[in-house]
PDB file of all heavy atoms in Angstrom:
ATOM      1  N   GLY A   1       0.831  -1.155   0.005  1.00 97.00           N
ATOM      2  CA  GLY A   1       0.038  -0.017  -0.061  1.00 97.00           C
ATOM      3  C   GLY A   1       0.873   1.241  -0.010  1.00 97.00           C
ATOM      4  O   GLY A   1       0.490   2.169  -0.698  1.00 97.00           O
ATOM      5  N   THR A   2       1.987   1.268   0.758  1.00 97.00           N
ATOM      6  CA  THR A   2       2.720   2.399   0.865  1.00 97.00           C
ATOM      7  C   THR A   2       3.500   2.730  -0.564  1.00 97.00           C
ATOM      8  O   THR A   2       3.408   3.818  -1.008  1.00 97.00           O
ATOM      9  CB  THR A   2       3.902   2.156   1.906  1.00 97.00           C
ATOM     10  OG1 THR A   2       3.410   1.909   3.214  1.00 97.00           O
ATOM     11  CG2 THR A   2       4.890   3.376   1.975  1.00 97.00           C
ATOM     12  N   VAL A   3       4.037   1.607  -1.254  1.00 96.00           N
ATOM     13  CA  VAL A   3       4.537   1.854  -2.589  1.00 96.00           C
ATOM     14  C   VAL A   3       3.594   2.274  -3.483  1.00 96.00           C
ATOM     15  O   VAL A   3       3.810   3.298  -4.267  1.00 96.00           O
ATOM     16  CB  VAL A   3       5.319   0.475  -3.020  1.00 96.00           C
ATOM     17  CG1 VAL A   3       5.751   0.674  -4.456  1.00 96.00           C
ATOM     18  CG2 VAL A   3       6.477   0.078  -2.044  1.00 96.00           C
ATOM     19  N   LEU A   4       2.372   1.808  -3.587  1.00 97.00           N
ATOM     20  CA  LEU A   4       1.439   2.187  -4.517  1.00 97.00           C
ATOM     21  C   LEU A   4       0.910   3.642  -4.242  1.00 97.00           C
ATOM     22  O   LEU A   4       0.728   4.402  -5.180  1.00 97.00           O
ATOM     23  CB  LEU A   4       0.139   1.157  -4.558  1.00 97.00           C
ATOM     24  CG  LEU A   4       0.543  -0.172  -5.053  1.00 97.00           C
ATOM     25  CD1 LEU A   4      -0.863  -0.967  -4.962  1.00 97.00           C
ATOM     26  CD2 LEU A   4       1.081  -0.298  -6.406  1.00 97.00           C
ATOM     27  N   GLY A   5       0.737   4.045  -2.971  1.00 97.00           N
ATOM     28  CA  GLY A   5       0.269   5.285  -2.634  1.00 97.00           C
ATOM     29  C   GLY A   5       1.380   6.308  -2.904  1.00 97.00           C
ATOM     30  O   GLY A   5       1.061   7.425  -3.450  1.00 97.00           O
ATOM     31  N   ASN A   6       2.679   6.060  -2.701  1.00 97.00           N
ATOM     32  CA  ASN A   6       3.667   6.993  -3.035  1.00 97.00           C
ATOM     33  C   ASN A   6       3.743   7.184  -4.470  1.00 97.00           C
ATOM     34  O   ASN A   6       3.854   8.371  -5.033  1.00 97.00           O
ATOM     35  CB  ASN A   6       5.066   6.433  -2.549  1.00 97.00           C
ATOM     36  CG  ASN A   6       5.280   6.691  -1.028  1.00 97.00           C
ATOM     37  OD1 ASN A   6       4.461   7.467  -0.456  1.00 97.00           O
ATOM     38  ND2 ASN A   6       5.926   5.804  -0.399  1.00 97.00           N
ATOM     39  N   TRP A   7       3.469   6.094  -5.291  1.00 96.00           N
ATOM     40  CA  TRP A   7       3.665   6.058  -6.730  1.00 96.00           C
ATOM     41  C   TRP A   7       2.546   7.008  -7.289  1.00 96.00           C
ATOM     42  O   TRP A   7       2.756   7.884  -8.092  1.00 96.00           O
ATOM     43  CB  TRP A   7       3.589   4.659  -7.248  1.00 96.00           C
ATOM     44  CG  TRP A   7       3.778   4.522  -8.763  1.00 96.00           C
ATOM     45  CD1 TRP A   7       3.859   5.449  -9.827  1.00 96.00           C
ATOM     46  CD2 TRP A   7       4.023   3.249  -9.489  1.00 96.00           C
ATOM     47  NE1 TRP A   7       4.104   4.804 -10.935  1.00 96.00           N
ATOM     48  CE2 TRP A   7       4.096   3.545 -10.690  1.00 96.00           C
ATOM     49  CE3 TRP A   7       3.848   1.872  -8.985  1.00 96.00           C
ATOM     50  CZ2 TRP A   7       4.224   2.523 -11.724  1.00 96.00           C
ATOM     51  CZ3 TRP A   7       4.067   0.874  -9.892  1.00 96.00           C
ATOM     52  CH2 TRP A   7       4.247   1.145 -11.323  1.00 96.00           C
ATOM     53  N   TYR A   8       1.368   6.757  -6.851  1.00 97.00           N
ATOM     54  CA  TYR A   8       0.147   7.416  -7.327  1.00 97.00           C
ATOM     55  C   TYR A   8       0.144   8.889  -6.896  1.00 97.00           C
ATOM     56  O   TYR A   8      -0.319   9.749  -7.711  1.00 97.00           O
ATOM     57  CB  TYR A   8      -1.081   6.728  -7.008  1.00 97.00           C
ATOM     58  CG  TYR A   8      -2.171   6.998  -7.977  1.00 97.00           C
ATOM     59  CD1 TYR A   8      -1.981   7.358  -9.345  1.00 97.00           C
ATOM     60  CD2 TYR A   8      -3.597   7.025  -7.585  1.00 97.00           C
ATOM     61  CE1 TYR A   8      -3.066   7.492 -10.259  1.00 97.00           C
ATOM     62  CE2 TYR A   8      -4.653   7.161  -8.511  1.00 97.00           C
ATOM     63  CZ  TYR A   8      -4.359   7.446  -9.965  1.00 97.00           C
ATOM     64  OH  TYR A   8      -5.359   7.566 -10.631  1.00 97.00           O
ATOM     65  N   ALA A   9       0.589   9.159  -5.801  1.00 97.00           N
ATOM     66  CA  ALA A   9       0.645  10.540  -5.265  1.00 97.00           C
ATOM     67  C   ALA A   9       1.583  11.435  -6.235  1.00 97.00           C
ATOM     68  O   ALA A   9       1.142  12.615  -6.451  1.00 97.00           O
ATOM     69  CB  ALA A   9       1.220  10.612  -3.898  1.00 97.00           C
ATOM     70  N   GLU A  10       2.565  10.845  -6.733  1.00 95.00           N
ATOM     71  CA  GLU A  10       3.448  11.582  -7.731  1.00 95.00           C
ATOM     72  C   GLU A  10       2.685  12.039  -8.975  1.00 95.00           C
ATOM     73  O   GLU A  10       2.801  13.134  -9.469  1.00 95.00           O
ATOM     74  CB  GLU A  10       4.636  10.750  -8.204  1.00 95.00           C
ATOM     75  CG  GLU A  10       5.748  10.774  -7.027  1.00 95.00           C
ATOM     76  CD  GLU A  10       6.205  12.060  -6.475  1.00 95.00           C
ATOM     77  OE1 GLU A  10       6.619  12.889  -7.426  1.00 95.00           O
ATOM     78  OE2 GLU A  10       6.216  12.380  -5.311  1.00 95.00           O
ATOM     79  N   ASP A  11       1.752  11.075  -9.492  1.00 94.00           N
ATOM     80  CA  ASP A  11       0.842  11.417 -10.595  1.00 94.00           C
ATOM     81  C   ASP A  11      -0.133  12.533 -10.311  1.00 94.00           C
ATOM     82  O   ASP A  11      -0.459  13.365 -11.162  1.00 94.00           O
ATOM     83  CB  ASP A  11       0.235  10.171 -11.102  1.00 94.00           C
ATOM     84  CG  ASP A  11       1.212   9.161 -11.697  1.00 94.00           C
ATOM     85  OD1 ASP A  11       2.357   9.436 -12.105  1.00 94.00           O
ATOM     86  OD2 ASP A  11       0.854   7.965 -11.740  1.00 94.00           O
ATOM     87  N   LEU A  12      -0.744  12.311  -9.000  1.00 94.00           N
ATOM     88  CA  LEU A  12      -1.769  13.184  -8.685  1.00 94.00           C
ATOM     89  C   LEU A  12      -1.355  14.727  -8.327  1.00 94.00           C
ATOM     90  O   LEU A  12      -2.214  15.566  -8.285  1.00 94.00           O
ATOM     91  CB  LEU A  12      -2.522  12.652  -7.468  1.00 94.00           C
ATOM     92  CG  LEU A  12      -3.214  11.326  -7.676  1.00 94.00           C
ATOM     93  CD1 LEU A  12      -3.700  10.767  -6.385  1.00 94.00           C
ATOM     94  CD2 LEU A  12      -4.328  11.381  -8.719  1.00 94.00           C
ATOM     95  N   LYS A  13      -0.106  14.849  -8.096  1.00 89.00           N
ATOM     96  CA  LYS A  13       0.376  16.124  -7.687  1.00 89.00           C
ATOM     97  C   LYS A  13       0.168  17.217  -8.777  1.00 89.00           C
ATOM     98  O   LYS A  13       0.126  18.437  -8.712  1.00 89.00           O
ATOM     99  CB  LYS A  13       1.871  16.085  -7.356  1.00 89.00           C
ATOM    100  CG  LYS A  13       2.187  15.519  -5.943  1.00 89.00           C
ATOM    101  CD  LYS A  13       3.739  15.444  -5.723  1.00 89.00           C
ATOM    102  CE  LYS A  13       3.983  14.951  -4.413  1.00 89.00           C
ATOM    103  NZ  LYS A  13       5.565  14.811  -4.237  1.00 89.00           N
ATOM    104  N   ASP A  14       0.180  16.681 -10.045  1.00 84.00           N
ATOM    105  CA  ASP A  14      -0.051  17.488 -11.200  1.00 84.00           C
ATOM    106  C   ASP A  14      -1.436  17.839 -11.593  1.00 84.00           C
ATOM    107  O   ASP A  14      -1.736  18.543 -12.492  1.00 84.00           O
ATOM    108  CB  ASP A  14       0.679  16.951 -12.407  1.00 84.00           C
ATOM    109  CG  ASP A  14       2.334  16.731 -12.229  1.00 84.00           C
ATOM    110  OD1 ASP A  14       2.725  17.746 -11.513  1.00 84.00           O
ATOM    111  OD2 ASP A  14       2.837  15.869 -12.743  1.00 84.00           O
ATOM    112  N   LEU A  15      -2.327  17.264 -10.824  1.00 86.00           N
ATOM    113  CA  LEU A  15      -3.788  17.579 -11.148  1.00 86.00           C
ATOM    114  C   LEU A  15      -4.115  18.981 -10.816  1.00 86.00           C
ATOM    115  O   LEU A  15      -3.824  19.513  -9.810  1.00 86.00           O
ATOM    116  CB  LEU A  15      -4.802  16.658 -10.172  1.00 86.00           C
ATOM    117  CG  LEU A  15      -4.868  15.133 -10.731  1.00 86.00           C
ATOM    118  CD1 LEU A  15      -5.840  14.405  -9.617  1.00 86.00           C
ATOM    119  CD2 LEU A  15      -5.527  15.094 -12.096  1.00 86.00           C
ATOM    120  N   GLN A  16      -4.869  19.562 -11.704  1.00 82.00           N
ATOM    121  CA  GLN A  16      -5.374  20.917 -11.510  1.00 82.00           C
ATOM    122  C   GLN A  16      -6.834  20.817 -11.158  1.00 82.00           C
ATOM    123  O   GLN A  16      -7.735  21.163 -11.938  1.00 82.00           O
ATOM    124  CB  GLN A  16      -5.150  21.805 -12.694  1.00 82.00           C
ATOM    125  CG  GLN A  16      -3.648  22.020 -13.243  1.00 82.00           C
ATOM    126  CD  GLN A  16      -2.959  22.683 -12.130  1.00 82.00           C
ATOM    127  OE1 GLN A  16      -3.367  23.666 -11.495  1.00 82.00           O
ATOM    128  NE2 GLN A  16      -1.709  22.257 -11.851  1.00 82.00           N
ATOM    129  N   LEU A  17      -7.149  20.510  -9.907  1.00 85.00           N
ATOM    130  CA  LEU A  17      -8.580  20.352  -9.422  1.00 85.00           C
ATOM    131  C   LEU A  17      -9.183  21.768  -9.160  1.00 85.00           C
ATOM    132  O   LEU A  17      -8.450  22.554  -8.501  1.00 85.00           O
ATOM    133  CB  LEU A  17      -8.608  19.474  -8.179  1.00 85.00           C
ATOM    134  CG  LEU A  17      -8.266  17.930  -8.408  1.00 85.00           C
ATOM    135  CD1 LEU A  17      -8.341  17.252  -7.102  1.00 85.00           C
ATOM    136  CD2 LEU A  17      -9.181  17.365  -9.436  1.00 85.00           C
ATOM    137  N   GLU A  18     -10.228  21.781  -9.474  1.00 83.00           N
ATOM    138  CA  GLU A  18     -11.059  23.100  -9.165  1.00 83.00           C
ATOM    139  C   GLU A  18     -11.297  23.359  -7.670  1.00 83.00           C
ATOM    140  O   GLU A  18     -11.030  24.366  -7.145  1.00 83.00           O
ATOM    141  CB  GLU A  18     -12.470  23.116  -9.715  1.00 83.00           C
ATOM    142  CG  GLU A  18     -13.268  24.373  -9.562  1.00 83.00           C
ATOM    143  CD  GLU A  18     -14.601  24.342 -10.213  1.00 83.00           C
ATOM    144  OE1 GLU A  18     -14.782  23.537 -11.209  1.00 83.00           O
ATOM    145  OE2 GLU A  18     -15.491  25.270  -9.828  1.00 83.00           O
ATOM    146  N   ILE A  19     -11.431  22.167  -6.895  1.00 87.00           N
ATOM    147  CA  ILE A  19     -11.528  22.166  -5.471  1.00 87.00           C
ATOM    148  C   ILE A  19     -10.480  21.146  -4.991  1.00 87.00           C
ATOM    149  O   ILE A  19     -10.633  19.937  -4.964  1.00 87.00           O
ATOM    150  CB  ILE A  19     -12.972  21.784  -4.928  1.00 87.00           C
ATOM    151  CG1 ILE A  19     -13.930  22.643  -5.616  1.00 87.00           C
ATOM    152  CG2 ILE A  19     -12.920  21.944  -3.454  1.00 87.00           C
ATOM    153  CD1 ILE A  19     -15.351  22.324  -5.299  1.00 87.00           C
ATOM    154  N   PRO A  20      -9.367  21.642  -4.406  1.00 93.00           N
ATOM    155  CA  PRO A  20      -8.341  20.623  -3.869  1.00 93.00           C
ATOM    156  C   PRO A  20      -8.841  19.761  -2.719  1.00 93.00           C
ATOM    157  O   PRO A  20      -9.780  20.114  -1.991  1.00 93.00           O
ATOM    158  CB  PRO A  20      -7.269  21.625  -3.348  1.00 93.00           C
ATOM    159  CG  PRO A  20      -7.384  22.792  -4.037  1.00 93.00           C
ATOM    160  CD  PRO A  20      -8.953  23.032  -4.191  1.00 93.00           C
ATOM    161  N   PHE A  21      -8.184  18.514  -2.680  1.00 96.00           N
ATOM    162  CA  PHE A  21      -8.587  17.600  -1.591  1.00 96.00           C
ATOM    163  C   PHE A  21      -8.179  18.401  -0.250  1.00 96.00           C
ATOM    164  O   PHE A  21      -7.068  18.895  -0.131  1.00 96.00           O
ATOM    165  CB  PHE A  21      -7.847  16.311  -1.690  1.00 96.00           C
ATOM    166  CG  PHE A  21      -8.130  15.621  -2.989  1.00 96.00           C
ATOM    167  CD1 PHE A  21      -6.966  15.218  -3.740  1.00 96.00           C
ATOM    168  CD2 PHE A  21      -9.417  15.521  -3.526  1.00 96.00           C
ATOM    169  CE1 PHE A  21      -7.186  14.571  -4.954  1.00 96.00           C
ATOM    170  CE2 PHE A  21      -9.653  14.811  -4.756  1.00 96.00           C
ATOM    171  CZ  PHE A  21      -8.338  14.394  -5.479  1.00 96.00           C
ATOM    172  N   ASP A  22      -8.885  18.102   0.844  1.00 97.00           N
ATOM    173  CA  ASP A  22      -8.558  18.635   2.115  1.00 97.00           C
ATOM    174  C   ASP A  22      -8.212  17.500   3.030  1.00 97.00           C
ATOM    175  O   ASP A  22      -7.413  17.727   4.097  1.00 97.00           O
ATOM    176  CB  ASP A  22      -9.786  19.302   2.733  1.00 97.00           C
ATOM    177  CG  ASP A  22     -10.277  20.658   2.023  1.00 97.00           C
ATOM    178  OD1 ASP A  22      -9.269  21.474   1.923  1.00 97.00           O
ATOM    179  OD2 ASP A  22     -11.336  20.802   1.745  1.00 97.00           O
ATOM    180  N   ALA A  23      -8.520  16.228   2.881  1.00 98.00           N
ATOM    181  CA  ALA A  23      -8.263  15.055   3.802  1.00 98.00           C
ATOM    182  C   ALA A  23      -8.512  13.926   3.073  1.00 98.00           C
ATOM    183  O   ALA A  23      -9.442  13.754   2.336  1.00 98.00           O
ATOM    184  CB  ALA A  23      -9.114  15.277   5.089  1.00 98.00           C
ATOM    185  N   VAL A  24      -7.650  12.775   3.401  1.00 98.00           N
ATOM    186  CA  VAL A  24      -7.877  11.442   3.051  1.00 98.00           C
ATOM    187  C   VAL A  24      -8.629  10.587   3.948  1.00 98.00           C
ATOM    188  O   VAL A  24      -8.321  10.716   5.138  1.00 98.00           O
ATOM    189  CB  VAL A  24      -6.539  10.856   2.682  1.00 98.00           C
ATOM    190  CG1 VAL A  24      -6.748   9.441   2.383  1.00 98.00           C
ATOM    191  CG2 VAL A  24      -5.783  11.556   1.473  1.00 98.00           C
ATOM    192  N   ILE A  25      -9.603   9.878   3.604  1.00 98.00           N
ATOM    193  CA  ILE A  25     -10.530   9.141   4.496  1.00 98.00           C
ATOM    194  C   ILE A  25     -10.524   7.805   4.079  1.00 98.00           C
ATOM    195  O   ILE A  25     -11.054   7.417   2.890  1.00 98.00           O
ATOM    196  CB  ILE A  25     -12.054   9.644   4.516  1.00 98.00           C
ATOM    197  CG1 ILE A  25     -12.023  11.242   4.708  1.00 98.00           C
ATOM    198  CG2 ILE A  25     -12.908   8.880   5.516  1.00 98.00           C
ATOM    199  CD1 ILE A  25     -11.855  11.588   6.191  1.00 98.00           C
ATOM    200  N   PRO A  26      -9.912   6.837   4.831  1.00 98.00           N
ATOM    201  CA  PRO A  26      -9.984   5.443   4.434  1.00 98.00           C
ATOM    202  C   PRO A  26     -11.339   4.685   4.625  1.00 98.00           C
ATOM    203  O   PRO A  26     -12.004   5.104   5.619  1.00 98.00           O
ATOM    204  CB  PRO A  26      -8.984   4.815   5.263  1.00 98.00           C
ATOM    205  CG  PRO A  26      -9.064   5.606   6.551  1.00 98.00           C
ATOM    206  CD  PRO A  26      -9.268   7.024   6.059  1.00 98.00           C
ATOM    207  N   VAL A  27     -11.866   3.838   3.808  1.00 97.00           N
ATOM    208  CA  VAL A  27     -12.963   3.059   4.043  1.00 97.00           C
ATOM    209  C   VAL A  27     -12.687   2.257   5.333  1.00 97.00           C
ATOM    210  O   VAL A  27     -11.591   1.456   5.316  1.00 97.00           O
ATOM    211  CB  VAL A  27     -13.306   2.197   2.879  1.00 97.00           C
ATOM    212  CG1 VAL A  27     -14.377   1.091   3.184  1.00 97.00           C
ATOM    213  CG2 VAL A  27     -13.816   3.066   1.700  1.00 97.00           C
ATOM    214  N   PRO A  28     -13.421   2.337   6.346  1.00 96.00           N
ATOM    215  CA  PRO A  28     -13.040   1.759   7.642  1.00 96.00           C
ATOM    216  C   PRO A  28     -13.491   0.292   7.795  1.00 96.00           C
ATOM    217  O   PRO A  28     -14.413  -0.265   7.064  1.00 96.00           O
ATOM    218  CB  PRO A  28     -13.766   2.555   8.608  1.00 96.00           C
ATOM    219  CG  PRO A  28     -14.994   3.058   7.945  1.00 96.00           C
ATOM    220  CD  PRO A  28     -14.561   3.218   6.554  1.00 96.00           C
ATOM    221  N   LEU A  29     -12.793  -0.443   8.664  1.00 95.00           N
ATOM    222  CA  LEU A  29     -13.204  -1.801   9.008  1.00 95.00           C
ATOM    223  C   LEU A  29     -14.041  -1.692  10.274  1.00 95.00           C
ATOM    224  O   LEU A  29     -13.811  -0.633  11.037  1.00 95.00           O
ATOM    225  CB  LEU A  29     -11.945  -2.690   9.287  1.00 95.00           C
ATOM    226  CG  LEU A  29     -10.977  -2.873   8.210  1.00 95.00           C
ATOM    227  CD1 LEU A  29      -9.878  -3.831   8.550  1.00 95.00           C
ATOM    228  CD2 LEU A  29     -11.699  -3.646   6.923  1.00 95.00           C
ATOM    229  N   HIS A  30     -14.900  -2.615  10.469  1.00 93.00           N
ATOM    230  CA  HIS A  30     -15.608  -2.777  11.771  1.00 93.00           C
ATOM    231  C   HIS A  30     -14.558  -3.060  12.806  1.00 93.00           C
ATOM    232  O   HIS A  30     -13.639  -3.784  12.526  1.00 93.00           O
ATOM    233  CB  HIS A  30     -16.636  -3.721  11.624  1.00 93.00           C
ATOM    234  CG  HIS A  30     -17.632  -3.821  12.970  1.00 93.00           C
ATOM    235  ND1 HIS A  30     -17.284  -4.676  13.922  1.00 93.00           N
ATOM    236  CD2 HIS A  30     -18.645  -3.129  13.332  1.00 93.00           C
ATOM    237  CE1 HIS A  30     -18.207  -4.537  15.000  1.00 93.00           C
ATOM    238  NE2 HIS A  30     -19.044  -3.610  14.596  1.00 93.00           N
ATOM    239  N   LYS A  31     -14.707  -2.685  14.044  1.00 92.00           N
ATOM    240  CA  LYS A  31     -13.806  -3.006  15.142  1.00 92.00           C
ATOM    241  C   LYS A  31     -13.557  -4.569  15.280  1.00 92.00           C
ATOM    242  O   LYS A  31     -12.369  -4.906  15.464  1.00 92.00           O
ATOM    243  CB  LYS A  31     -14.299  -2.454  16.405  1.00 92.00           C
ATOM    244  CG  LYS A  31     -14.271  -1.026  16.560  1.00 92.00           C
ATOM    245  CD  LYS A  31     -14.814  -0.546  17.887  1.00 92.00           C
ATOM    246  CE  LYS A  31     -14.819   1.023  18.047  1.00 92.00           C
ATOM    247  NZ  LYS A  31     -15.386   1.397  19.368  1.00 92.00           N
ATOM    248  N   ARG A  32     -14.514  -5.270  15.109  1.00 93.00           N
ATOM    249  CA  ARG A  32     -14.421  -6.784  15.101  1.00 93.00           C
ATOM    250  C   ARG A  32     -13.453  -7.185  13.984  1.00 93.00           C
ATOM    251  O   ARG A  32     -12.603  -8.039  14.235  1.00 93.00           O
ATOM    252  CB  ARG A  32     -15.692  -7.457  15.132  1.00 93.00           C
ATOM    253  CG  ARG A  32     -15.675  -8.928  15.011  1.00 93.00           C
ATOM    254  CD  ARG A  32     -16.958  -9.601  15.044  1.00 93.00           C
ATOM    255  NE  ARG A  32     -17.052 -11.032  14.664  1.00 93.00           N
ATOM    256  CZ  ARG A  32     -18.134 -11.771  14.503  1.00 93.00           C
ATOM    257  NH1 ARG A  32     -19.236 -11.164  14.555  1.00 93.00           N
ATOM    258  NH2 ARG A  32     -18.079 -13.015  14.152  1.00 93.00           N
ATOM    259  N   LYS A  33     -13.775  -6.658  12.718  1.00 92.00           N
ATOM    260  CA  LYS A  33     -12.902  -7.134  11.672  1.00 92.00           C
ATOM    261  C   LYS A  33     -11.412  -6.607  11.761  1.00 92.00           C
ATOM    262  O   LYS A  33     -10.558  -7.474  11.450  1.00 92.00           O
ATOM    263  CB  LYS A  33     -13.510  -6.584  10.319  1.00 92.00           C
ATOM    264  CG  LYS A  33     -12.678  -6.876   9.047  1.00 92.00           C
ATOM    265  CD  LYS A  33     -12.808  -8.272   8.651  1.00 92.00           C
ATOM    266  CE  LYS A  33     -14.193  -8.532   8.089  1.00 92.00           C
ATOM    267  NZ  LYS A  33     -14.185  -9.867   7.520  1.00 92.00           N
ATOM    268  N   PHE A  34     -11.366  -5.534  12.296  1.00 93.00           N
ATOM    269  CA  PHE A  34      -9.982  -5.040  12.543  1.00 93.00           C
ATOM    270  C   PHE A  34      -9.218  -5.907  13.645  1.00 93.00           C
ATOM    271  O   PHE A  34      -8.069  -6.065  13.253  1.00 93.00           O
ATOM    272  CB  PHE A  34     -10.039  -3.444  13.075  1.00 93.00           C
ATOM    273  CG  PHE A  34      -8.722  -2.879  13.177  1.00 93.00           C
ATOM    274  CD1 PHE A  34      -8.074  -2.156  12.135  1.00 93.00           C
ATOM    275  CD2 PHE A  34      -7.956  -2.840  14.363  1.00 93.00           C
ATOM    276  CE1 PHE A  34      -6.926  -1.541  12.266  1.00 93.00           C
ATOM    277  CE2 PHE A  34      -6.729  -2.278  14.460  1.00 93.00           C
ATOM    278  CZ  PHE A  34      -6.214  -1.642  13.465  1.00 93.00           C
ATOM    279  N   LYS A  35      -9.864  -6.273  14.555  1.00 92.00           N
ATOM    280  CA  LYS A  35      -9.319  -7.132  15.550  1.00 92.00           C
ATOM    281  C   LYS A  35      -8.908  -8.514  14.855  1.00 92.00           C
ATOM    282  O   LYS A  35      -7.911  -9.155  15.140  1.00 92.00           O
ATOM    283  CB  LYS A  35     -10.265  -7.323  16.755  1.00 92.00           C
ATOM    284  CG  LYS A  35      -9.524  -8.177  17.851  1.00 92.00           C
ATOM    285  CD  LYS A  35     -10.583  -8.231  19.060  1.00 92.00           C
ATOM    286  CE  LYS A  35      -9.881  -8.900  20.263  1.00 92.00           C
ATOM    287  NZ  LYS A  35     -10.809  -8.970  21.501  1.00 92.00           N
ATOM    288  N   GLU A  36      -9.771  -8.997  14.022  1.00 92.00           N
ATOM    289  CA  GLU A  36      -9.403 -10.228  13.373  1.00 92.00           C
ATOM    290  C   GLU A  36      -8.176 -10.112  12.504  1.00 92.00           C
ATOM    291  O   GLU A  36      -7.373 -11.049  12.404  1.00 92.00           O
ATOM    292  CB  GLU A  36     -10.631 -10.721  12.615  1.00 92.00           C
ATOM    293  CG  GLU A  36     -11.888 -11.070  13.479  1.00 92.00           C
ATOM    294  CD  GLU A  36     -13.016 -11.303  12.501  1.00 92.00           C
ATOM    295  OE1 GLU A  36     -13.094 -11.133  11.258  1.00 92.00           O
ATOM    296  OE2 GLU A  36     -14.119 -11.768  13.052  1.00 92.00           O
ATOM    297  N   ARG A  37      -8.186  -9.045  11.657  1.00 92.00           N
ATOM    298  CA  ARG A  37      -7.026  -8.879  10.783  1.00 92.00           C
ATOM    299  C   ARG A  37      -5.846  -8.243  11.332  1.00 92.00           C
ATOM    300  O   ARG A  37      -4.719  -8.500  10.819  1.00 92.00           O
ATOM    301  CB  ARG A  37      -7.634  -8.046   9.510  1.00 92.00           C
ATOM    302  CG  ARG A  37      -6.597  -8.094   8.328  1.00 92.00           C
ATOM    303  CD  ARG A  37      -7.320  -7.373   7.045  1.00 92.00           C
ATOM    304  NE  ARG A  37      -8.389  -8.256   6.654  1.00 92.00           N
ATOM    305  CZ  ARG A  37      -9.351  -7.797   5.737  1.00 92.00           C
ATOM    306  NH1 ARG A  37      -9.442  -6.586   5.509  1.00 92.00           N
ATOM    307  NH2 ARG A  37     -10.349  -8.544   5.465  1.00 92.00           N
ATOM    308  N   GLY A  38      -6.063  -7.372  12.250  1.00 95.00           N
ATOM    309  CA  GLY A  38      -4.994  -6.642  12.904  1.00 95.00           C
ATOM    310  C   GLY A  38      -4.537  -5.412  12.208  1.00 95.00           C
ATOM    311  O   GLY A  38      -3.828  -4.555  12.767  1.00 95.00           O
ATOM    312  N   TYR A  39      -5.197  -5.006  11.020  1.00 96.00           N
ATOM    313  CA  TYR A  39      -4.971  -3.685  10.316  1.00 96.00           C
ATOM    314  C   TYR A  39      -5.934  -3.561   9.384  1.00 96.00           C
ATOM    315  O   TYR A  39      -6.565  -4.439   8.900  1.00 96.00           O
ATOM    316  CB  TYR A  39      -3.512  -3.769   9.626  1.00 96.00           C
ATOM    317  CG  TYR A  39      -3.352  -4.867   8.760  1.00 96.00           C
ATOM    318  CD1 TYR A  39      -3.539  -4.552   7.338  1.00 96.00           C
ATOM    319  CD2 TYR A  39      -2.940  -6.163   9.003  1.00 96.00           C
ATOM    320  CE1 TYR A  39      -3.353  -5.588   6.322  1.00 96.00           C
ATOM    321  CE2 TYR A  39      -2.921  -7.172   8.160  1.00 96.00           C
ATOM    322  CZ  TYR A  39      -2.975  -6.819   6.705  1.00 96.00           C
ATOM    323  OH  TYR A  39      -2.812  -7.897   5.756  1.00 96.00           O
ATOM    324  N   ASN A  40      -6.081  -2.222   8.839  1.00 97.00           N
ATOM    325  CA  ASN A  40      -6.952  -1.972   7.650  1.00 97.00           C
ATOM    326  C   ASN A  40      -6.021  -1.933   6.454  1.00 97.00           C
ATOM    327  O   ASN A  40      -5.100  -1.182   6.360  1.00 97.00           O
ATOM    328  CB  ASN A  40      -7.577  -0.629   7.860  1.00 97.00           C
ATOM    329  CG  ASN A  40      -8.554  -0.126   6.956  1.00 97.00           C
ATOM    330  OD1 ASN A  40      -8.573  -0.715   5.705  1.00 97.00           O
ATOM    331  ND2 ASN A  40      -9.413   0.806   7.194  1.00 97.00           N
ATOM    332  N   GLN A  41      -6.467  -2.597   5.476  1.00 97.00           N
ATOM    333  CA  GLN A  41      -5.504  -2.851   4.247  1.00 97.00           C
ATOM    334  C   GLN A  41      -5.411  -1.570   3.489  1.00 97.00           C
ATOM    335  O   GLN A  41      -4.508  -1.524   2.608  1.00 97.00           O
ATOM    336  CB  GLN A  41      -6.118  -4.074   3.357  1.00 97.00           C
ATOM    337  CG  GLN A  41      -7.371  -3.678   2.609  1.00 97.00           C
ATOM    338  CD  GLN A  41      -8.571  -4.041   3.410  1.00 97.00           C
ATOM    339  OE1 GLN A  41      -8.539  -4.292   4.579  1.00 97.00           O
ATOM    340  NE2 GLN A  41      -9.693  -4.135   2.764  1.00 97.00           N
TER     341      GLN A  41
END
């Protein structure tokens, strides 16, 4: 995830969005699922 995120961020830096992003929000896991897996992918 880190490698793919770093790679894509370089491409997205050149975007000329009318409204820039303010924050990144991950699709969350339920607490039970997070406990089972140990991390959110």
Side-chain angles (χ1 to χ4, degrees):
T2 300
V3 171
L4 295 181
N6 287 335
W7 187 351
Y8 206 29
E10 288 300 313
D11 292 338
L12 297 174
K13 285 179 182 179
D14 295 329
L15 280 179
Q16 298 296 320
L17 294 177
E18 184 176 341
I19 307 172
F21 305 129
D22 291 309
V24 172
I25 306 285
V27 172
L29 296 181
H30 187 270
K31 291 181 180 179
R32 176 178 165 189
K33 178 71 75 172
F34 186 89
K35 186 175 182 180
E36 291 172 355
R37 187 172 297 161
Y39 61 96
N40 183 340
Q41 70 272 13

